[in-house]
Amino acid sequence: MPMAFPRQITLLGATGSIGASTLDVISRHPERYSVFALAAHRAVDRLAELCLRFSPRYAVMLDMGAAKALRGLLQAGHCATTVLEGEQALREVASAPETDVVVAAIVGAAGLAPTLAAVTAGKKVLLANKEALVMSGQLFMDAVDASGCCLYPIDSEHNAIFQSLPKDFRRHQKAGGVRRILLTASGGPFRNTLPERLETVTPEEACAHPVWSMGRKISVDSATMMNKGVEVIEAHWLFGVPSPRIEVVIHPQGIVHSMVDYIDGSVLAQLGNPDMRIPIANALAWPERIESGANALDLFDVATLSFERPDFGRFPCLSLAYRALEAGGSIPAALNAANEEAVAAFLDGRIGFCRIADVIAATLERKGWADAKTLEEVLEVDARARGLAREEIRKRGAA
Ligand code: NAD
Ligand code: MG
């Protein structure tokens, strides 16, 4: 049965950077989109503000104390939104029969279970939470195929690749004539920083991205280029392309969001200002096009587009991610977990910037990464990798 307007949207990670961009697009099209549920970790004031503005049926806080505080604020504001709490509630709003579209914008492994619940329930899923796919690759895509869910990437590069590939490419690979995927990367804030200076960079410097304004975890991932590494893994699973055919291209201006190189020598690209509302609007309305609020691209203003090879020596996280994808099995899940722990430790001042890659490498060197075929097994690998990464962090910690 075709979906009726307005589409009912569940937004997981509503208080974050992608959450804000999504709500901005939605608010421009009230006849098309209505908010069914908003979910977040514990940012009570922000979620209360969003509930008063968008009047969702449900608001979910992972944290119990935060849920209680939110109930109080909403009662005082005479808002009829029902407040739920905990992980089970996240899965419920992501798979509720009333939901048409789920925007998966929780950061990190915490997003896996609710995103998978949305996929299994056959929802239209807009994926920002790349960590969920990186952790569970085959399991996630098998769930997509089993339910027939429509999965749309809103990571800007993957949305660009999606727009540049033949329709339904993953299922009809051979007919496509695709040679390579060219995954662009801005290179982050430390593209030209001297290697010895990298030893002392601060979290604030790492989070000051030259092109994009994003949450702190993905900002650090961009600075180490682990973000591009996990995007290689993300592209592999979304489009079914093996890693040797996914090439990272440094493009500091952040205008070409990625490209597809075809065997006849044609290269198709998607360009635009670096504004996440563009991929979000594209995925929400596809195959239609709607206004996103982003400014039109002024090529005269941009003037120059440049491209460079990535420096794998300066950015060891990029090689670690390629190696994890090639190793397969549960190694990408371990890579992701170790990275999340190492980035959190760097943001808290427990380890230096260059120790992030060391912690991940040392974690992956520990043996016994059994294959993970179920959600429970993936979460076991995640927990083991976090435990080992914490040991490695303690060994390298400042205090
Ligand atoms: P953010 O830190 O700004 O927001 C994260 C959101 O997740 C918040 O709403 C937070 O409350 C919620 N959250 C965190 N932990 C949670 C938990 N345990 N349970 C429930 N909710 C939880 O992050 P962001 O920059 O919006 O990124 C979100 C995701 O989108 C990440 O996976 C990131 O890699 C991806 N992404 C972001 C951008 C961007 O421009 N920000 C671009 C591409 C992809
Ligand atoms: Mg991206």
Side-chain angles (χ1 to χ4, degrees):
M1 207 174 58
M3 281 185 231
F5 284 118
R7 313 269 197 253
Q8 299 294 325
I9 303 207
T10 287
L11 175 52
L12 305 171
T15 57
S17 160
I18 293 288
S21 296
T22 303
L23 290 169
D24 185 276
V25 176
I26 287 175
S27 64
R28 291 165 193 277
H29 304 280
E31 71 301 345
R32 294 184 71 108
Y33 306 112
S34 168
V35 180
F36 172 72
L38 294 175
H41 189 189
R42 56 181 162 217
V44 176
D45 292 342
R46 174 75 181 140
L47 200 59
E49 205 182 289
L50 295 176
C51 288
L52 292 169
R53 177 153 173 231
F54 290 94
S55 309
R57 256 288 269 295
Y58 297 104
V60 185
M61 300 251 64
L62 182 75
D63 185 84
M64 270 174 65
K68 195 169 165 216
L70 181 63
R71 269 183 213 109
L73 288 176
L74 295 188
Q75 260 167 18
H78 306 290
C79 174
T81 299
T82 303
V83 179
L84 307 173
E85 65 202 30
E87 279 180 69
Q88 175 64 21
L90 288 175
R91 289 195 292 269
E92 281 168 12
V93 292
S95 56
E98 302 95 317
T99 306
D100 301 310
V101 180
V102 175
V103 180
I106 289 176
V107 59
L112 175 58
T115 305
L116 212 46
V119 166
T120 306
K123 302 302 178 193
K124 171 171 173 171
V125 176
L126 272 54
L127 185 72
N129 181 204
K130 60 193 99 184
E131 297 92 342
L133 180 57
V134 166
M135 289 170 75
S136 65
Q138 191 68 56
L139 171 74
F140 193 103
M141 296 313 293
D142 286 349
V144 168
D145 289 336
S147 72
C149 118
C150 293
L151 181 66
Y152 294 92
I154 52 176
D155 207 349
S156 56
E157 297 78 1
H158 303 74
N159 183 265
I161 296 162
F162 166 76
Q163 293 194 52
S164 305
L165 279 173
K167 189 169 176 284
D168 215 3
F169 176 70
R170 187 170 62 90
R171 294 195 180 84
H172 308 114
Q173 291 266 337
K174 296 225 162 48
V178 168
R179 181 159 41 204
R180 284 177 309 168
I181 284 178
L182 301 171
L183 186 68
T184 53
S186 70
F190 304 139
R191 184 170 58 94
N192 294 318
T193 305
L194 290 172
E196 52 276 25
R197 171 74 182 89
L198 283 181
E199 289 288 341
T200 56
V201 296
T202 64
E204 279 56 46
E205 288 172 308
C207 289
H209 196 279
V211 180
W212 297 94
S213 158
M214 309 180 285
R216 282 167 77 77
K217 191 263 178 180
I218 184 176
S219 295
V220 176
D221 284 349
S222 299
T224 61
M225 287 200 75
M226 180 55 93
N227 182 50
K228 212 45 56 179
V230 294
E231 287 188 0
V232 169
I233 304 176
E234 183 186 10
H236 164 75
W237 288 113
L238 285 173
F239 308 118
V241 175
S243 60
R245 289 172 51 211
I246 306 172
E247 199 169 316
V248 173
V249 178
I250 305 290
H251 167 51
Q253 297 82 13
I255 297 295
V256 177
H257 295 301
S258 278
M259 297 169 268
V260 176
D261 176 18
Y262 286 84
I263 52 175
D264 62 1
S266 301
V267 176
L268 299 193
Q270 183 257 0
L271 282 70
N273 285 317
D275 185 326
M276 289 307 292
R277 292 176 299 180
I278 299 174
I280 292 167
N282 176 268
L284 272 174
W286 187 263
E288 290 175 62
R289 299 266 176 184
I290 56 171
E291 294 265 357
S292 69
N295 290 332
L297 179 63
D298 184 341
L299 282 171
F300 301 109
D301 194 29
V302 175
T304 307
L305 298 177
S306 62
F307 303 94
E308 298 164 16
R309 278 181 209 286
D311 181 346
F312 285 86
R314 180 192 294 261
F315 296 111
C317 284
L318 194 51
S319 314
L320 284 169
Y322 265 106
R323 292 212 314 261
L325 176 56
E326 277 148 30
S330 62
I331 304 287
L335 170 98
N336 178 69
N339 181 54
E340 287 190 26
E341 291 295 324
V343 170
F346 168 67
L347 284 171
D348 294 351
R350 281 178 283 140
I351 55 170
F353 181 76
C354 296
R355 303 290 81 73
I356 295 175
D358 296 347
V359 166
I360 300 164
T363 303
L364 296 185
E365 269 162 28
R366 309 282 277 266
K367 300 286 177 253
W369 297 110
D371 223 1
K373 293 205 160 33
T374 62
L375 175 60
E376 290 67 33
E377 287 170 358
V378 171
L379 296 177
E380 276 168 29
V381 169
D382 178 79
R384 174 171 180 245
R386 283 173 196 274
L388 295 174
R390 285 189 204 122
E391 280 176 26
E392 299 297 338
I393 289 164
R394 275 194 293 274
K395 283 188 216 160
R396 292 166 176 79

